[in-house]
Structures are given as C-alpha cells and as structure tokens.
Amino acid sequence: EGCKDSENSCIVDNRVVLKIIKHYQEEGQGNEVVQGVLLGLVVDDRLEITNCFPFPQHTEDDADFDEVQYQMEMMRSLRHVNIDHLHVGWYQSTYYGSFVTRALLDSQFSYQHAIEESVVLIYDPIKTAQGSLSLKAYRLTPKLMEVCKEKDFSPEALKKANIAYENMFEEVPIVIKNSYLINVMLWELEKKSAVADRHELLSLASSNHLGKSLQLLMDRVDEMSQDIVKYNTYLRNVSKQQQQKHQYQQRRQQENIQRQSRGEPPLPEEDINKLFKPPQPPPRMESLLIAGQINTYCQNIKEFNAQNLGKLFMAQALQDYNN
Amino acid sequence: APSLGAAPAQLRLQRHHLRAVRQHRPPAPPRRPEPRGSGPAVPSPPARGRSPSKARGPRRAAPHSRRDSTASLRTTGEEGDAGTVDKHSVEVTNCFSVPHNESEDEVAVDMEFAKNMYELHKKVSPSEIILGWYATGHDITEHSVLIHEYYSREAHNPIHLTVDTSLQNSRMSIKAYVSAPMGVPGKTMGVMFTPLTVKYVYYDTERIGVDLIMKTCFSPNRVIGLSSDLQQVGSASARIQDTLTMVLQYAEDVLSGKVAADNTVGRFLMDLINQVPKISPEDFETMLNSNINDLLMVTYLANLTQSQIALNEKLLSL
C-alpha cells in the first residue's frame, strides 16, 4: 500500500503517533480529553511533525502550575539535545468524534494566526481500539480565519463571508514516514515479538458504539433546535419592531397633517431608532459549530455503518457457503 | 489547550539547515522491553544524551559507531520481593535523551539537564520512575561502567540498554544489562554486566499503531497514508484469508504425511473449530436481517440529519 505524497498532506513521524497513543492510554481514560504540543518543521510548504510532548491535565491542586513555563522548559531542553523544537501545532483526543467546540476553534485560531500551517491532530482512541488508527489533522479554512479575526459573528457578517458548516475545517491528509533505521528496527521487532493478531476490525458487535454515537447526535440536535428557536424569535422580534416603527411613522405623519390643517407647527422629528432599540442578533458561531459537529458525527456514523454492513454481508456469504 | 509560547519565528529553514537539524534521532520509543533479571526495578538517574558535536549520528551506519546517545529509561516501576522470578521484571515505558560529552579519557554527563527533564516528565506521568539508561552502539566500554556508576548512586540496580544503530552483523540488536560486581574482594574489583532477557509487550491501541507503522516497510518511499473504512475491512479479511490458507495447508500436509503431526497444534485446531458457533440457518437469517436493518436505519437517520442541517444553512442565508 504505497501512497503518493500529495501536495497538501502533512508528514507525521511514527514517534508522534506512538506518543499520542501512549499519552491517551496512560492519562485519559474516560471522557477526559488529553492534549499536547506538536513539534516539527515546515519543509517546502509541507508540514512535518517530528515530535510531540504531552501536556499535564489541569488539576485543582496544581493551581500554580504554569503552562507557559512548562512548555518553554520542555522546548529548551529538547533543543539542547538537538531534537526539533519548533512549535507547529497541538493534538487532542476525542470522545466518539466530538471535537468541534468553541475552545478548539479559539485555540486553533491562535495557533494558525501565528503559524500559517499549524494543524490540530485529533486522535480517536475508541475508533482506534476497534482496529484501525484514527488520526486526523485539521486546519481552519482561510474564510473562517478571516471571520475569527474580525471577531464578528453576527448573521450578516457570516452571510457575507459565505461560510457554511462544511467549510469550517479542512482536513489535511496524513502520511507517516519512517527512516531506514526505524524500518530496520521494525523488522527486528517483528521477528522478536510474536504478538497474536487480534482482528478487532472484523468484529461484528456494533450496537454499543452505535448507541453512544446516536445519543451524542441526539443531544446535539436538541441543542441545534434550541438555537434555531432562539434565532426565529429574534427574527420575529425584528419584524414586529419594523411594523411598530412603520405604525409610529404613519401616526406621526397623520398628526402632522392634522396640525398643519389647524395651523399649528408640526411635531419635531424624533429619532426613531432611539425609540425602538433594535434587538440584539444572536451570535451565529454557536450554531455553526453545532452544525459542524453534527456533520462530523453523521460522517463517522456513516463510515462505521458502511464497514459493518460489509462485514455482515461477508458473514452472510460465509454462512450460505456452509449450508 | 496548550497556548503558544514565544513567537515561533523562522519555521521555514533552508535545505542545508535542515540537514544540520535532522540529526540522528534515537529510534522510536522502546516498545516496553521487559527484562527479566535479578534486580528489582528501581529508579535511576537519567543517562546522558549525545553531545551536540557528534551530531551526525549513525543514521546510515556512519563510521563512528560509538555510543552517541544515551538517555534514561523510566518505567512504571514494579518492586517485587526477591525470590519469585515473576516479580523480577521491569517495564520500560518511556525515555528521553540527555546530552553528554565523551572523550578518550573522560566522560561528562549533564545531570542537571537530566533532573530537569525528569521533573517535567513527572508532571504528566507522576507514576513513572527512572530505571536506567540507554546508549546507542553495540558494545560496552569503560565509559559505560562510569556512567553506570553515576546511576547506581540514585538507583539501586540500574538497567543499561544498548541499541545497536550501527547495525553490526546486519542486525539491530537490542540488549539489556544489569551490573554485578566481580573480582577478588579487597583487591581487584570490577564490574560485570549481566545480560537480561528483553521482551516486547504492547497494549491494544499501541499494537494497532505499530501495525500501521510497520506497513511503511513495504512501501517504496517509506510512507503510508491512513486508509478508510471498507479498505480496512478488505485488508483485514485478506489477512485472515492468508492465515486460514496456512492452517489448511498444514492440515493437508499432516494428512498426506509430509509433516509430522503435532498434538498441541492439533488441540489448538480443535479449539478453533469448536469456537465457531452452531446456529440454525433461520436464526442466523433473523439475526443478520435485524442487524442489517438497524444499520440501514441509522444510516438513513444520519443522512436525514445532514440534509436537515444543510437545509437550515440555506434557509439562514436567504
């Protein structure tokens, strides 16, 4: 299974893959998210991630833990032994694919603002445990970067920028590259460690995973519908206000006409906008994020289902053959 | 999320800078060698890393095959009481490199650096303790005795791991040692390094990662991408097919007398066959159909949701 180095891929060293797996295994059981920093280089417009180090989790009793200092010290020490120490991104583990959150957006924006090519690596441990490594690299699209820079999340601004939930993140294909020395070591390991194949990928049990994914999807859809209701009320308020303004203006005009007919001076023009304060438009970023998250969930579910359908049909074919 | 530290300027390096920066790196982190030996697991101070001057390491089996990098091993230490062999094992889970300087007659280790690194690492994994040190190179020299002595100060019985990146005998041998004193007490004393058995253990997700990485061995430019859904099922079933063919071949060989029958293998095969569940065809049909229906329904719902949010998006921009 060779693979072409496409233009927009990012090269990940095997060390990063294994370290991320290890970090999650040791620190991240349960719903908690583990995070860490990616180090590497940019070569010929392509990002190469060559090392990483984990970030300790935030605990209440470590209130004086200085994140920046920890990072600086780590990077300084790595530079001391000639390991690549330039910051190029960060990684995070995810629970059943839920990572499209405001926090992630903000962090990735600040990273990308400083380094254009930085990515966030999302590692899905549950999917990996089912048989195949799930590691994806994401970057914010340039459009979204623009919007975040302006910090203007009102409906008009987003409409102008023409952002839909599909073009919030762009996925960067990942390529794993090894040095010859590593390949030699891998051959050695293969000889020495007779680990039995476990074939998790071919397991037919799917209901547990499906159940949890659907639960998360339902929660998100609920949030989305609440958001939509909020937006609808806002729109209704705006149109009601327009009507009120219109009525007020008409009344004013009528009064003025009456006054003129009676020879009295017309009433002064009042600033309409001061009388009718326009309602606040709700920020649309939340709903974009929710839509993005729902989309990710659906994609994951569909992929999982496609795999399982394939497996079930295989099982059926085998059974038919036996009868 | 981890925030950006100082401005990461100058990411784009020239080619020649790259060569200088991409030094020899220690190979991928040890996949938990498990030495079974005499001493219990004890923390030992970190070992030394390679000196900056000997930067161009033996990536392509360079002439100077001496140890170029050493580092400390940390593990989830298991202290067993002496006696049972089982408890006498140590699991190495992580390592980091430490700079050192080596000349003909003397050796300098940056212990300060080592302590710092260890403290930093402890913040993430507080249960790991220092176990020993590693060195690249294929032999043990006097320098290693000295370094080992450094570590004996902090650890009770430090472990020394050598990784032969110079590929002597066309193999990358990975060995582990503990030191034992020898000689005539009172007169000439020396130190002997006794070898330990090294085993590799993986946990599930790690093994899956390693499997994927191993695939680069088969690709011409040593790269591998991550494949998606049905492709993976396809390759997994191909693997099972291969193993099944092997088993069938073995069975036929035994039947035709080419290979002597082995009882243990026979028992395994019996277990294998008995594990296939016996279901009547009707039951299997119902089970299959209900599963397929579930999956189809969920796919339909997922598609429906996606079209809903697409619609919502369109309506918003009206």
Side-chain angles (χ1 to χ4, degrees):
Chain A
E1 257 179 19
C3 115
K4 299 198 220 2
D5 289 338
S6 63
E7 272 298 316
N8 191 23
S9 60
C10 98
I11 300 191
V12 174
D13 201 64
N14 57 69
R15 176 184 337 185
V16 173
V17 173
L18 291 173
K19 269 189 168 178
I20 294 180
I21 296 181
K22 169 183 188 295
H23 185 203
Y24 177 80
Q25 182 75 16
E26 292 189 354
E27 311 292 327
Q29 302 298 340
N31 287 15
E32 296 184 4
V33 146
V34 297
Q35 296 172 334
V37 168
L38 297 174
L39 310 163
L41 296 166
V42 174
V43 177
D44 290 339
D45 280 342
R46 197 150 12 129
L47 185 64
E48 289 207 23
I49 303 177
T50 50
N51 207 343
C52 68
F53 61 83
F55 233 69
Q57 306 207 310
H58 299 285
T59 44
E60 284 81 37
D61 41 294
D62 272 347
D64 53 348
F65 173 68
D66 193 356
E67 288 193 2
V68 180
Q69 193 204 22
Y70 172 80
Q71 247 181 249
M72 300 300 348
E73 278 204 35
M74 259 314 218
M75 298 194 349
R76 210 180 309 136
S77 313
L78 289 176
R79 180 172 54 208
H80 208 40
V81 283
N82 273 334
I83 299 182
D84 295 335
H85 62 278
L86 299 168
H87 224 142
V88 292
W90 59 297
Y91 69 81
Q92 184 181 300
S93 72
T94 174
Y95 180 68
Y96 280 110
S98 47
F99 60 88
V100 184
T101 59
R102 189 56 190 271
L104 184 128
L105 190 73
D106 288 338
S107 308
Q108 183 57 19
F109 171 67
S110 66
Y111 265 83
Q112 250 180 275
H113 196 58
I115 317 165
E116 210 181 292
E117 296 87 2
S118 78
V119 292
V120 52
L121 275 188
I122 302 286
Y123 165 64
D124 190 344
I126 297 168
K127 197 137 179 270
T128 307
Q130 284 175 344
S132 62
L133 178 67
S134 157
L135 194 65
K136 299 208 161 106
Y138 289 102
R139 223 181 252 155
L140 301 181
T141 47
K143 275 195 213 159
L144 194 59
M145 287 291 288
E146 282 300 322
V147 173
C148 287
K149 240 183 273 198
E150 310 292 321
K151 289 206 201 303
D152 180 12
F153 298 134
S154 61
E156 294 78 32
L158 285 183
K159 215 185 291 191
K160 218 189 318 164
N162 199 15
I163 291 199
Y165 61 85
E166 293 125 346
N167 40 21
M168 285 208 302
F169 291 98
E170 58 181 1
E171 187 182 329
V172 183
I174 289 187
V175 155
I176 299 185
K177 196 167 187 164
N178 278 341
S179 65
Y180 289 110
L181 210 54
I182 304 276
N183 275 3
V184 171
M185 179 180 194
L186 287 174
W187 283 117
E188 282 286 334
L189 280 181
E190 182 158 335
K191 275 206 177 100
K192 291 197 183 159
S193 66
V195 177
D197 256 342
R198 288 256 302 265
H199 307 293
E200 297 98 349
L201 193 53
L202 292 176
S203 137
L204 288 177
S206 58
S207 48
N208 192 22
H209 186 256
L210 271 184
K212 288 216 184 76
S213 310
L214 279 180
Q215 183 67 42
L216 290 171
L217 188 61
M218 287 193 313
D219 290 341
R220 278 295 179 285
V221 169
D222 283 340
E223 281 182 25
M224 178 121 217
S225 57
Q226 279 176 353
D227 201 77
I228 292 182
V229 161
K230 245 191 280 179
Y231 189 61
N232 279 343
T233 6
Y234 160 72
L235 283 180
R236 231 176 294 136
N237 284 349
V238 163
S239 73
K240 221 190 309 182
Q241 214 187 45
Q242 288 287 71
Q243 270 193 329
Q244 283 177 339
K245 272 196 211 167
H246 200 65
Q247 279 177 344
Y248 177 79
Q249 271 184 326
Q250 278 192 327
R251 254 185 290 131
R252 263 294 154 117
Q253 278 189 340
Q254 278 194 329
E255 271 196 37
N256 278 343
I257 291 173
Q258 280 182 345
R259 280 184 170 232
Q260 269 190 341
S261 65
R262 279 181 284 175
E264 289 168 19
L267 289 173
E269 285 296 317
E270 283 182 11
D271 191 5
I272 297 196
N273 287 339
K274 280 215 192 103
L275 289 178
F276 297 91
K277 276 220 207 78
Q280 275 287 7
R284 300 297 301 154
M285 192 37 109
E286 269 308 311
S287 73
L288 253 194
L289 285 174
I290 298 178
Q293 183 63 70
I294 293 182
N295 196 28
T296 325
Y297 281 146
C298 291
Q299 291 289 85
N300 285 352
I301 290 180
K302 286 203 292 197
E303 199 175 291
F304 181 73
N305 281 354
Q307 273 185 327
N308 273 27
L309 273 177
K311 289 189 247 178
L312 282 176
F313 281 128
M314 262 201 317
Q316 183 182 42
L318 282 177
Q319 190 73 0
D320 285 342
Y321 180 75
N322 284 344
N323 289 347
Chain B
S3 60
L4 269 190
Q10 273 97 44
L11 261 191
R12 301 170 192 278
L13 302 181
Q14 310 288 344
R15 270 272 134 190
H16 57 273
H17 286 172
L18 272 186
R19 290 272 144 92
V21 165
R22 299 225 200 180
Q23 315 284 348
H24 157 75
R25 306 168 190 169
R31 233 103 54 230
R32 313 228 225 170
E34 198 182 80
R36 268 173 213 239
S38 41
V42 250
S44 22
R48 317 156 335 155
R50 65 171 188 279
S51 80
S53 59
K54 292 191 190 177
R56 275 152 240 296
R59 225 230 218 141
R60 291 170 207 254
H64 45 285
S65 61
R66 305 210 58 245
R67 75 203 56 257
D68 267 347
S69 66
T70 57
S72 83
L73 305 174
R74 306 175 296 116
T75 83
T76 58
E78 280 173 305
E79 317 215 322
D81 45 287
T84 40
V85 174
D86 239 351
K87 302 253 177 82
H88 282 301
S89 66
V90 151
E91 206 170 277
V92 179
T93 49
N94 209 337
C95 71
F96 55 83
S97 50
V98 174
H100 78 301
N101 255 311
E102 230 178 82
S103 65
E104 275 314 315
D105 11 313
E106 66 173 18
V107 139
V109 180
D110 195 349
M111 300 295 281
E112 197 50 46
F113 176 92
K115 272 203 186 53
N116 272 344
M117 270 301 243
Y118 178 50
E119 288 303 310
L120 287 176
H121 270 112
K122 257 177 94 137
K123 292 209 172 98
V124 181
S125 353
S127 58
E128 289 190 342
I129 52 177
I130 299 191
L131 259 203
W133 60 294
Y134 75 78
T136 56
H138 80 285
D139 215 355
I140 306 197
T141 69
E142 310 86 36
H143 292 306
S144 34
V145 176
L146 285 173
I147 306 173
H148 209 77
E149 215 189 324
Y150 281 139
Y151 288 101
S152 320
R153 285 193 223 138
E154 295 190 32
H156 174 69
N157 212 352
I159 300 197
H160 173 41
L161 195 74
T162 53
V163 178
D164 183 16
T165 44
S166 58
L167 304 175
Q168 292 251 342
N169 308 326
S170 321
R171 297 289 293 270
M172 179 191 277
S173 49
I174 301 178
K175 302 204 185 97
Y177 304 93
V178 231
S179 78
M182 66 171 186
V184 183
K187 300 226 182 107
T188 31
M189 290 281 296
V191 159
M192 180 175 69
F193 281 91
T194 35
L196 306 167
T197 345
V198 175
K199 272 187 167 187
Y200 302 92
V201 286
Y202 309 76
Y203 43 83
D204 306 352
T205 38
E206 199 176 27
R207 187 179 48 82
I208 294 175
V210 173
D211 279 343
L212 180 69
I213 295 176
M214 238 192 254
K215 293 213 184 103
T216 65
C217 296
F218 304 107
S219 111
N221 49 353
R222 295 167 288 126
V223 299
I224 190 82
L226 299 176
S227 58
S228 71
D229 43 338
L230 279 185
Q231 267 181 346
Q232 293 165 346
V233 176
S235 44
S237 10
R239 269 208 304 271
I240 286 220
Q241 227 180 357
D242 289 341
T243 37
L244 278 179
T245 341
M246 219 163 44
V247 168
L248 280 176
Q249 187 64 41
Y250 172 79
E252 291 198 8
D253 284 345
V254 169
L255 280 180
S256 63
K258 274 194 242 166
V259 174
D262 186 0
N263 277 343
T264 27
V265 175
R267 263 183 232 124
F268 276 128
L269 287 177
M270 277 274 289
D271 285 341
L272 185 68
I273 304 210
N274 285 338
Q275 267 179 3
V276 176
K278 293 197 181 29
I279 320 178
S280 72
E282 296 83 28
D283 286 347
F284 188 78
E285 277 296 314
T286 23
M287 180 192 77
L288 197 71
N289 280 333
S290 66
N291 270 341
I292 293 186
N293 283 341
D294 284 344
L295 289 179
L296 287 177
M297 175 191 80
V298 173
T299 314
Y300 169 75
L301 284 177
N303 278 329
L304 187 66
T305 322
Q306 274 185 319
S307 29
Q308 279 280 61
I309 40 179
L311 253 185
N312 181 42
E313 202 69 35
K314 286 282 182 307
L315 285 177
L316 275 185
S317 49
L318 271 181

